[in-house]
Amino acid sequence: MKVLIVLVLAALAVLMTPATADAHPLGNFTVNHHHAITVHPDRVDLVSVIDLAEIPTLQEQPAGHVGYADRECEAVRRGLAVHVEGTGVAVALRSASVEFPPGEAGLATTRLTCALTAPANLGAAATVEVRDTYRPGRVGWHEMTATGDGMALLDPPVPATSSSDELRAYPDDLLSDPLDVRAVSLRVQPGATAAGDTSAAPGGGTLLASATRAFTDLVGQRDLTPFIGVLAVLLSLLLGASHAALPGHGKTVIAAYLAGRHGTARDAVTVGATVTLTHTAGVLLMGLAISASSALAGESLLRVLGVASGMLVTAIGAFLLHSALQRHPVAVGHGHGHGHGHGHRVGRGGLIGMGVAGGLVPSPSALVVLLGAVALGRTWFGVLLVLSYGLGMATTLTLVGLLLVRLRDRLAAVERLRDRFTALPALTAGLVLVVGLGLTARALLE
């Protein structure tokens, strides 16, 4: 008991300690862009910074490729288009450099810096347009800034300084609506630009984000002691449970399904176990796929899995609604005495389907932890942590199911409410159908 108390206190201490690794709040799959534009009377200079998060870095292994900086900056150059008064000008690469800052779970990230220039005759008022088409299909932060050196920018639509400190620190207040500036049109004329800055100050992190960073930091420790190992497992359970408590993780669907189909406590546990197994298998398979192919975009695979999960829920909801309407057509004066004797038990296939839908989309944090452990030669430890994460998720979802089953049974025992429960299967089936459609639409729009 004393050991458990010590571990819990240690976990709390870790949560309250700021994490040291630079995390990617938009996700570990992202490729982020920053372009600093400086307009001179005779040229347009650009400093382009490309920040690859942990998983793209792991897939591409840039540290192992000679000449990576020059080759990738050449791709950045080809992806940039500069126009002056509607006429395209040639963009030349001046220098290229690359760094590999530490990321989460002991994995590296990639910071590519490209200095470019485009000659231009800006002796009079003109319009300068810059467009970025480098890796257009990858999710990430897209930012542009603009300043003048001997040139005045007239009402520039972008700030003079970076709100993310050139992709080093992302402001919290913009994470729900991240920057997506891929093109800018600047009206310029000889002179000086008035001072002004519309950048946002970076903020702190939420408790859950801090806990996640602390967890991944533990996994990235070079020396894995028994204490650190147990602490990491404990944090994995807590984070899995917290992750499942967030909106959009199947709690409403599973609870409605169990309540409407007269599910039992055993059924709730079955769903929770299926969630654990599905999530663990999904993380392992996705980790294998990402490690095997540098061309696979992880966020695209997550979107496909999200659509599949939503469609599975929709199909289950449609089947339940059809079944409920067949068994309980609209009643006319025939309600009493039947609400308690015709409970339709949950089918095994439906239970497994709901569990699969709840665990089908892998958690990016669990995936990063697995890949980090594999990179450090601790595959077994990564699998253990992923399994613990899934158990934490299953615990939350199972508890929600148990509470709903208990509440349903108590309400059904009330005589004056009993007749109304004949319509419960149809109502809950409709809810499952609507939520499934919503999950599918959200995954398609992401």
Side-chain angles (χ1 to χ4, degrees), residues 168-412:
R168 295 185 181 91
Y170 298 89
D172 284 344
D173 57 347
L174 291 180
L175 292 183
S176 59
D177 186 20
L179 287 180
D180 191 21
V181 180
R182 305 180 189 226
V184 65
S185 179
L186 303 169
R187 295 187 298 119
V188 302
Q189 66 181 27
T193 303
D197 185 11
T198 60
S199 62
T206 64
L207 179 59
L208 183 57
S210 299
T212 302
R213 288 194 293 270
F215 172 50
T216 53
D217 281 348
L218 283 177
V219 177
Q221 294 287 333
R222 294 291 174 180
D223 298 324
L224 181 61
T225 64
F227 178 78
I228 291 178
V230 174
L231 189 59
V233 170
L234 179 60
L235 278 175
S236 182
L237 287 166
L238 293 174
L239 286 173
S242 302
H243 183 77
L246 295 174
H249 293 282
K251 296 178 298 300
T252 302
V253 175
I254 292 173
Y257 185 84
L258 292 172
R261 301 292 287 182
H262 289 260
T264 64
R266 182 178 178 180
D267 295 331
V269 173
T270 299
V271 174
T274 307
V275 169
T276 300
L277 294 176
T278 304
H279 183 265
T280 302
V283 172
L284 295 178
L285 291 175
M286 190 169 180
L288 179 63
I290 286 176
S291 300
S293 173
S294 61
L296 178 64
E299 67 273 17
S300 298
L301 184 54
L302 284 179
R303 186 181 300 113
V304 170
L305 292 174
V307 172
S309 176
M311 292 179 66
L312 178 58
V313 173
T314 301
I316 293 174
F319 173 79
L320 292 178
L321 185 58
H322 179 264
S323 175
L325 292 177
Q326 278 191 330
R327 290 171 176 171
H328 287 288
V330 178
V332 181
H334 180 76
H336 62 279
H338 291 279
H340 63 283
H342 301 308
H344 301 297
R345 287 297 313 281
V346 182
R348 183 68 59 180
L351 285 172
I352 294 176
M354 296 308 300
V356 169
L360 186 59
V361 182
S363 163
S365 298
L367 181 61
V368 168
V369 163
L370 173 65
L371 295 175
V374 171
L376 293 173
R378 303 171 186 155
T379 303
W380 64 271
F381 187 54
V383 173
L384 176 62
L385 292 178
V386 171
L387 182 60
S388 300
Y389 197 98
L391 285 172
M393 289 179 58
T395 299
T396 297
L397 297 176
T398 301
L399 287 176
V400 170
L402 291 174
L403 288 174
L404 261 293
V405 168
R406 179 65 61 88
L407 178 60
R408 182 209 61 210
D409 291 342
R410 286 183 177 272
L411 291 177

